Amino acid sequence: MNFWERVNDLLERNDINKKTLAADAGFDASNITKGIKNNNIPSGETAVKIAERLGVTVEYLVTGKDSLTNNANIGKIVYLYQKYHTVIDTLEKLPNPKQRSVMRIVEECGELGK
């Protein structure tokens, strides 16, 4: 996966369109499609703006790895958080006994899938 393919993947995961990203980062949305096709990496300044908007590092966009977190799978972590953040937020608001009950159910379901 190249820089722009990672950007495109994160756009889909974050439900952000190319126009919004381009406007926020100060470039033309067609550059995403061209970048994927030509495997071009944008200027450092643009890459930093894109990474900030998507909540990842430039290193992750360029290499797929993030040495700051020592985690080569940060994209998946970001995706999972974004997918389940409402569940996490709701769980965090529950009193501890209810949190433990929910976690037991989740753990039991995980055991069933093995």
Side-chain angles (χ1 to χ4, degrees):
M1 192 180 296
N2 70 32
F3 179 95
W4 287 111
E5 289 169 332
R6 284 186 195 87
V7 168
N8 201 45
D9 183 54
L10 288 166
L11 288 173
E12 290 175 12
R13 291 178 185 191
N14 291 313
D15 198 26
I16 300 170
N17 65 43
K18 293 175 184 176
K19 280 186 175 183
T20 300
L21 175 66
D24 291 350
F27 65 91
D28 189 85
S30 66
N31 289 347
I32 296 173
T33 304
K34 290 176 191 172
I36 291 170
K37 182 179 177 184
N38 299 325
N39 195 20
N40 295 334
I41 296 176
S43 71
E45 183 180 340
T46 300
V48 167
K49 289 177 183 177
I50 292 168
E52 286 174 351
R53 177 64 176 90
L54 295 174
V56 297
T57 64
V58 173
E59 180 182 7
Y60 172 74
L61 292 176
V62 173
T63 68
K65 299 177 182 177
D66 188 345
S67 63
L68 293 177
T69 61
N70 290 322
N71 190 338
N73 214 2
I74 193 167
K76 184 174 182 178
I77 292 168
V78 169
Y79 167 73
L80 289 172
Y81 175 74
Q82 290 164 343
K83 184 175 180 179
Y84 296 111
H85 73 90
T86 55
V87 174
I88 294 167
D89 293 345
T90 302
L91 184 61
E92 284 293 309
K93 292 175 186 172
L94 293 174
N96 284 338
K98 288 190 178 192
Q99 284 181 10
R100 287 190 294 274
S101 295
V102 170
M103 290 308 298
R104 274 194 298 277
I105 292 169
V106 170
E107 289 166 1
E108 288 172 11
C109 289
E111 290 295 318
L112 291 174
K114 290 183 179 181

